Amino acid sequence: MSIGPSMPLRLEKPESIDLAQAARYFGARGGADAATQALLEKCAVPLLAAATPRAVWLEADPDSLTAAGILAGEDVAKHLEGCTAALLLAVTLGPGVDAQIRRAGVGDIAAGVASDALGSALAEQAAEAAEAELRQWAARQGKYLTGRYSPGYGDWPLAVQPLLAAALDTARRAGLCVTENNLMTPRKSITAILGVSDHPVRGLSCPDRHGCLLAAGLTAMIAVQAFINIGVVVGVLPTTGLPLPFFSAGGTSISLLMAATGIILSVSRTSRK
């Protein structure tokens, strides 16, 4: 087995968005208050209407993925220990969700943030539905799957995103592209790998998926800030005033970056257990 052809995966749009999950992404700890709940409910209707979930997947052997440069890092290799094959998966909500998030935020920052949180929750629901379909496929083959593992978890770098997208042919099959900065567009998209074995396997996992997504977001924030600062220094971007992470003077910036780094390391340590 090498890297197989990519195949579309049929996804049904959920009847509703998981508002409890969206509230956590929104930052509401211990449950949303009445005002937050009302805001999420209001923003959920147009966002769900704008969603067009699509998924694509393929089966490959780990050696071929390693040769293609996709299995970079030790953690993803550990995730696939005991597996004879792997499944690559990409899920996207489509460009309509990104457009709706932008519309919601025009003149109403809270609605924009709430819509973004709802989009993240809906993307996770779509990924869970796709994973469930793949588990049914594996069960028919008498196989078992690990959990999902995504770029940005552990030491599996976001730099593999273009390779994943190319292998899955996501641009043609799902309308999902990756920018030169390894960011996916549409933004509310998820890529992942699942190990395949003839016996039950667990793989590496993140017990707190919200924590893993938080760590990925903080990593992207630091990387984008550094990219913008360097762009200003070399003269390809207009002056913004953003400091260079960890190097520019400023106690507040350093304190926040250290706090973000601590969260990332905490999530990484937990995911290795």
Side-chain angles (χ1 to χ4, degrees), residues 92 94-95 97-98 101-102 116 123 176 184-190:
T92 182
V97 168
D98 283 5
I101 292 172
R102 289 193 296 270
D116 189 84
L176 169 59
M184 291 185 289
T185 178
R187 291 192 305 113
K188 297 307 178 182
S189 304
I190 293 174

Side-chain angles (χ1 to χ4, degrees), residues 47 50-54 91-97 118-120 122-123 126 186 188-189:
L47 189 131
T52 53
R54 299 176 69 181
V91 179
T92 182
L93 296 183
V97 168
L118 287 161
S120 296
L122 185 57
K188 297 307 178 182
S189 304

Side-chain angles (χ1 to χ4, degrees), residues 153-178:
Y153 288 7
D155 65 357
W156 199 23
L158 292 174
V160 304
Q161 292 283 31
L163 301 177
L164 284 171
L168 287 163
D169 194 13
T170 57
R172 184 171 66 89
R173 291 192 174 274
L176 169 59
C177 300
V178 178

Side-chain angles (χ1 to χ4, degrees), residues 57-71:
W57 70 287
L58 63 76
E59 184 179 12
D61 68 79
D63 289 340
S64 296
L65 294 175
T66 300
I70 293 175
L71 301 187

